[in-house]
Amino acid sequence: MGTSDTKTVELANYRPTDFVLERVDLTFELDPTNTKVDARLIFHRRDGADPRAPLVLNGDELTLSGLLLDQNEVPAGQYDVTPQSLTIRNLPEAVPFEITVTTFINPEANTQLMGLYRTNGVYCTQCEAEGFRRITYFPDRPDVLAPYTITIIADKAANPLLLSNGNFLGGGNYDEGRHFAAWFDPHPKPSYLFALVAGDLGVVEDTFTTMSGRDVALKIYVEHGKEPRAAYAMDALKRSMKWDEERFGREYDLDIFMIVAVSDFNMGAMENKGLNVFNDKYVLADPETATDQDYANIEAIIAHEYFHNWTGNRITCRDWFQLCLKEGLTVYRDHEFSADMRSRAVKRIAEVRHLKSEQFPEDAGPLAHPVRPTKYREINNFYTTTVYEKGSEVTRMIATLLGAEGFKKGMDLYFERHDGDAATVEDFVKCFEDANGRDLSQFSLWYHQAGTPMVSASGAYDPAAATFTLSLEQMIPATPGQSAKEPMHIPLSFALILDNGSTAAPTAVAGGEVTGDVLHLTERKQTFTFSGVSSRPVLSLNRGFSAPINLHLDRSTDDLVHIARHDSDLFARWQALNDLILPVLMEGARDVRDGGTVTCPSAVISALIEIAGNDALEPAFRAQVLALPSEADIARELGSNNDPDAIHTARTTVLTAVAEAGRPVFQHLFETMKNSAGFSPDAASAGRRALRNSALGYLTYAEQSPVRAAEAFASADNMTDLVQALSVLAHRFPDAEEADAALGAFVTRFDDNPLVIDKWLSVQATIPGAGALDRVKALMENRHFVASNPNRVRALVGSFAFSNPTGFNRADGEGYRFLAERILAIDPKNPQLAARLLTSMRSWRSLEPVRADHARAALLTIDRSVELSSDVRDIVDRMLK
Ligand code: ARG
Ligand code: ZN
């Protein structure tokens, strides 16, 4: 936030504050354009701190209108104030003192959506990471923790609801039609967890009885009339609370837990203590308007924010370099929760697909950074997939290394030792070391070295000696600021699969540590020899994606088909099929780019179709297998000189070949996978829908006609089927009457539901080919598109830039020029949103030269703008470096 002249913050410069904050007392007199904030802060000088050190408080676009020290006005000579900071000198050396700061802020004008702002007539806050300083001058850093008392005064008719963190103290009528409410949060917290919501909202209520028998009131606030659409979120919340008790022994700690859904929000959701604020898209769902993916997201994000109550709130971060301490760990926890609620293998496949499509490109490009970075210019740009998803994978590897019991011991120690602390990654790792008597110093490199490690593996079987030898070599690519890397500790889950499909049980292993089915690669080059292997096995390696690496392992088609048929790990079966098809797609893309044609080996095609038709396998798994690597996946694996049009052509050719060869199977699936009973969002029903829609997609390739999809659109009785049919029509037959008719019917039917309109925008923004840009431009003029709403912008501009490889990467560079224009228009209003959109160009250097030149030119246009936010400045600088 702020302007672009911010300087780099370095971990090495961390030091504690000179003053300890004892308590916080805030009074808000809410007004849409002129809200008064009185902050009473009690401090004392830290033991050993410099007795003359001044108190320095952070601000952002603030104006000071009152300053008291122990209730007396502070003389002008005793303080300095700017919009960014308030410095007070000559403070007491040994006794606590009280500072009262008065500021006036304008929520209506706050388009950054950081601090206190208005959305649909509701007051709401977003303070992470540094939004609190836009409310009042404050030591706005996560290692300053205090209990908060909050008083909110507001017009009663417009704001019947006055909410903040903690437990409700009381309220009543005030003057001139106003009323007030007071809240007290006894748990010391940093300012980024503060929240305030005021307005007129509907509520869904429930209760949860904790494991020690306390009743907790649960409330989800949504716009009036939308209450029925919050039922699934409430159910997910109760399941999350129960699961955290059972799996991690964590109990909720206030009398009330509230969630508020708002329609203007920069991110997914926020874990403010006792008062989570959510992007409404991650709360509202019903069969008519939400897809299965929406349901799964709601379940995961409700859980994620709830789990933060322990991993993030009770134990918070010492500084923002430690962000993965709460985010990586909490993503791991929500992944495990979803795995327990749904199919574990299918969930894992989806996670790995997401990791590879989002985090691997980040780690391989100009924005690469360690899970625990050591410097930043703009902290908002570090809420990344590396911190979140790779951070989660690092936590998962600790669990893999230590086993379930050892991991639990470490977590228990962490909760016991650090409850109430602002902790570091080192503190976290130490708990696992201490609880297990294990040295994790080499393992910790996962936090510090950026880049996706590459592991090359080759196996050799010696029938005479009955040994299997596995040679491994690891290489960690150079990343910005890190040229040389140390070898890492890489846990590789493996199996040696025999001819009959069973797993070999070697009598001995030499060459390194092996625990259970995990081998520990710790050296740059390492050879493991397994004895007592009586026949030639097929190696299944990195099962379950035990380590987030790029694995290079040459295996024959026959061997991969063997794994796809026989591995007891369903994830490994998916991986094997992926390893079969990916080279075909890559080869095809290269051939098309160089003017050749695509060849599709029939063994690969029949392996896919065999899985598709195997009724012994769960439908959701088969749908994952049939969802071939995306165009972005192919581009990432190719790595350089990418031509998105060639990739698209190659992939379409392969899809068509699969469709033609498997036509009877797809026909059968399309007919039999329909759920007979009414709609249920459960994972098994969702899996059947996914498989049936996948079959529809293939049949459309085989039939080359929009008729079947148009029928599917007309007969759909839930949003998943409806939007799938719509995408098939729009993406495959954009010029057909059927597509037009379906798009028209869709927008008419959901005219009053912006979250569904977002799907309509995304479907059109992702129609392949150069024509997409004109469609996107036209849609920006559509009355449904609201340029100030982040969800609308992400649905239209974001989908185009992130998810339309052929449309966005038009060979003439118009896509990049359009994005640059959008970014410069959005940046002055909402820098976080602008910076996030810009990351869609993070892989620009791997494009073929003509497109790469256009991309660079567009980036330079942004770079040359003088008025950039620190958010966009930071990203564009790193992208051009
Ligand atoms: N802590 C929130 C969550 O992951 C996200 C906050 C994002 N903040 C930001 N400035 N981008 O649950
Ligand atoms: Zn989080």
Side-chain angles (χ1 to χ4, degrees), residues 128 267 269 271 304-305 308 326-327 380 383 388 832:
E128 186 178 7
M267 42 226 115
E271 70 266 23
H304 179 96
E305 307 309 332
H308 267 315
K326 73 177 178 81
E327 295 303 348
N380 286 321
Y383 288 76
Y388 278 66
Q832 271 187 61

Side-chain angles (χ1 to χ4, degrees), residues 555-824:
R555 279 169 300 189
S556 66
T557 298
D558 283 354
D559 281 358
L560 284 168
V561 169
H562 191 67
I563 296 177
R565 286 202 181 121
H566 297 296
D567 202 307
S568 57
D569 173 17
L570 210 49
F571 176 88
R573 294 176 72 171
W574 170 80
Q575 182 70 64
L577 288 154
N578 199 74
D579 291 348
L580 276 169
I581 192 76
L582 192 58
V584 173
L585 293 163
M586 290 165 67
E587 219 24 66
R590 280 196 209 98
D591 289 343
V592 174
R593 186 193 61 205
D594 303 338
T597 53
V598 182
T599 28
C600 267
S602 58
V604 174
I605 293 185
S606 47
L608 288 174
I609 294 167
E610 179 187 317
I611 297 281
N614 183 346
D615 285 326
L617 294 167
E618 53 183 317
F621 172 78
R622 291 189 270 162
Q624 283 287 0
V625 168
L626 290 173
L628 299 194
S630 68
E631 290 167 30
D633 289 330
I634 302 165
R636 180 191 68 243
E637 295 297 322
L638 288 168
S640 63
N641 197 14
N642 280 321
D643 175 349
D645 291 327
I647 292 172
H648 178 78
T649 304
R651 186 170 182 274
T652 305
T653 310
V654 174
L655 284 170
T656 309
V658 175
E660 280 162 1
R663 192 163 172 168
V665 174
F666 296 129
Q667 179 85 39
H668 176 74
L669 289 174
F670 186 73
E671 280 155 15
T672 55
M673 280 295 143
K674 191 147 182 66
N675 288 303
S676 42
F679 179 89
S680 158
D682 68 273
S685 314
R688 295 171 64 87
R689 277 187 289 274
L691 184 53
R692 184 164 183 270
N693 282 312
S694 170
L696 169 65
Y698 279 103
L699 286 173
T700 312
Y701 276 102
E703 294 163 353
Q704 301 289 338
S705 148
V707 170
R708 187 185 292 270
E711 282 168 12
F713 182 83
S715 64
D717 60 3
N718 60 79
M719 182 50 76
T720 302
D721 291 346
L722 192 70
V723 85
Q724 284 296 321
L726 183 69
S727 314
V728 169
L729 286 170
H731 290 188
R732 304 286 318 292
F733 309 97
D735 303 318
E737 235 169 73
E738 285 88 344
D740 247 15
L743 286 166
F746 192 92
V747 72
T748 306
R749 176 166 166 198
F750 298 105
D751 183 80
D752 61 346
N753 189 326
L755 293 177
V756 180
I757 295 296
D758 284 346
K759 302 179 194 304
W760 180 78
L761 294 171
S762 299
V763 163
Q764 295 174 85
T766 50
I767 295 175
L773 179 58
D774 285 341
R775 284 190 202 94
V776 171
K777 285 181 176 166
L779 285 167
M780 287 186 54
E781 305 302 320
N782 188 287
R783 71 185 166 86
H784 289 293
F785 181 75
V786 179
S788 62
N789 180 282
N791 285 356
R792 295 309 85 73
V793 174
R794 283 186 286 253
L796 184 59
V797 184
S799 300
F800 175 64
F802 281 100
S803 312
N804 189 342
T806 50
F808 180 55
N809 298 291
R810 270 167 65 137
D812 62 4
E814 285 297 331
Y816 313 135
R817 284 192 277 282
F818 166 77
L819 185 72
E821 243 168 60
R822 286 297 86 221
I823 283 164
L824 292 177

Side-chain angles (χ1 to χ4, degrees), residues 152-154 156 162 168-175 177-182:
I152 310 169
I153 303 164
K156 189 174 180 174
L162 304 174
F168 182 63
L169 284 182
N173 288 327
Y174 205 63
D175 57 2
R178 298 196 293 175
H179 70 150
F180 77 98

